[in-house]
Amino acid sequence: MKKGKFIVFEGLDGSGKGTQIELLTAKMKKDGRRVYRTAEPTLSATGGLIRDVLGGFIQRDAYELSALFLADRIFHNINPLNGIKHFLDQGIDIVCDRYYYSSFAYQGKDAVLDWVMSMNLDCPEIIRPDLCIFLDVDTESCDKRIEDNRFSREIYENKAEQEKIRKRFFEVFELLKNTENIKIVNASRDISLVSADIIKIYESIKEI
Ligand code: TYD
């Protein structure tokens, strides 16, 4: 059986991933594809430990946090009930909100980037996506979206951090440009224009 496609969305907090994931998965389903939508951190126990840190309830350094994200990601790949591998093997497409690129940009900003990258990329249990779509929005607009839509901010959700994270994303994409399929989409435009670009990108990989 043909394997499913594995598509990841990345972007800063407030870049509109949720909206664009919704539009793409609706289009994929309309095309008759079976799609499983998922996200990191997951809803596992490790995901809970991570959310305690993101919410600022518990403090951990970037190395501890990288290791927690790694453990959560391995679980996300291999768990037999709703793991990424399980679905891809059945021909089901995966659309995932964040993946290892976020670890590289968020934790790789405070921990040694090579270490964060190699423990993810060299782990045999962690599947490489077929496509990563990065929704590029300037930090000013992301900050406004967070301000308008949230009652509280997580540890990374301030402008100074987001500037550093955005810079890290671009450094990482440069490092991965020959080994990963990463598409940067200008997401500061009208929702429907951004969605049309994303659907074009998806159409270019869906039959490969
Ligand atoms: P996010 O997609 O913003 O979810 P929510 O809607 O719950 O805020 O992701 C949560 C945060 O986790 C986000 O700030 C990025 C961070 N993150 C990392 O720092 N490293 C990682 O490896 C991943 C997957 C996420």
Side-chain angles (χ1 to χ4, degrees):
M1 181 194 282
K2 206 170 165 200
K3 281 198 174 196
K5 292 291 175 205
F6 181 11
I7 301 171
V8 169
F9 275 75
E10 290 281 2
L12 294 179
D13 301 83
S15 58
K17 288 182 281 100
T19 305
Q20 292 301 334
I21 287 173
E22 188 60 43
L23 292 169
L24 178 64
T25 52
K27 161 73 179 154
M28 291 167 80
K29 285 180 187 162
K30 212 169 129 219
D31 284 355
R33 298 183 76 106
R34 291 184 300 159
V35 189
Y36 183 74
R37 188 177 162 174
T38 184
E40 291 189 2
T42 71
L43 296 174
S44 71
T46 317
L49 293 176
I50 292 170
R51 269 185 288 277
D52 277 346
V53 181
L54 296 174
F57 310 115
I58 303 240
Q59 288 194 340
R60 293 185 194 270
D61 82 356
Y63 292 91
E64 285 182 278
L65 201 48
S66 305
L68 287 177
F69 274 114
L70 180 79
D72 188 46
R73 188 160 299 125
I74 293 172
F75 170 81
H76 196 195
N77 271 269
I78 65 172
N79 95 72
L81 211 64
N82 58 359
I84 293 170
K85 183 173 186 312
H86 171 73
F87 287 127
L88 292 176
D89 286 348
Q90 290 180 65
I92 297 168
D93 297 323
I94 299 281
V95 177
C96 184
D97 187 341
R98 296 191 185 278
Y99 199 54
Y100 51 52
Y101 313 93
S102 278
S103 287
F104 305 161
Y106 285 74
Q107 284 66 58
K109 155 184 86 57
D110 302 316
V112 171
L113 178 62
D114 272 356
W115 180 80
V116 182
M117 289 182 79
S118 59
M119 74 178 181
N120 279 278
L121 297 175
D122 296 345
C123 174
E125 306 280 34
I126 294 181
I127 299 171
R128 301 276 183 120
D130 296 297
L131 171 66
C132 166
I133 294 170
F134 180 76
L135 297 185
D136 188 26
V137 178
D138 61 90
T139 48
E140 201 79 45
S141 313
C142 287
D143 199 61
K144 190 170 174 337
R145 283 191 202 172
I146 293 171
E147 191 61 40
D148 292 347
N149 297 313
R150 311 261 175 94
F151 293 112
S152 64
R153 287 179 180 242
E154 293 182 339
I155 54 168
Y156 295 117
E157 292 178 344
N158 67 74
K159 250 171 76 191
E161 286 291 289
Q162 296 285 308
E163 285 289 355
K164 286 190 227 159
I165 292 160
R166 184 168 189 268
K167 196 164 158 266
R168 237 346 176 200
F169 263 123
F170 283 102
E171 286 164 9
V172 164
F173 294 155
E174 186 59 27
L175 291 172
L176 295 174
K177 69 177 179 205
N178 296 322
T179 49
E180 302 253 341
N181 186 16
I182 297 162
K183 302 283 187 226
I184 297 166
V185 173
N186 172 2
S188 301
R189 298 167 297 152
D190 201 80
I191 289 173
S192 59
L193 294 177
V194 177
S195 174
D197 279 3
I198 291 170
I199 287 168
K200 254 189 249 154
I201 296 168
Y202 144 73
E203 282 176 338
S204 72
I205 66 136
K206 70 177 182 185
E207 298 307 342
I208 299 171

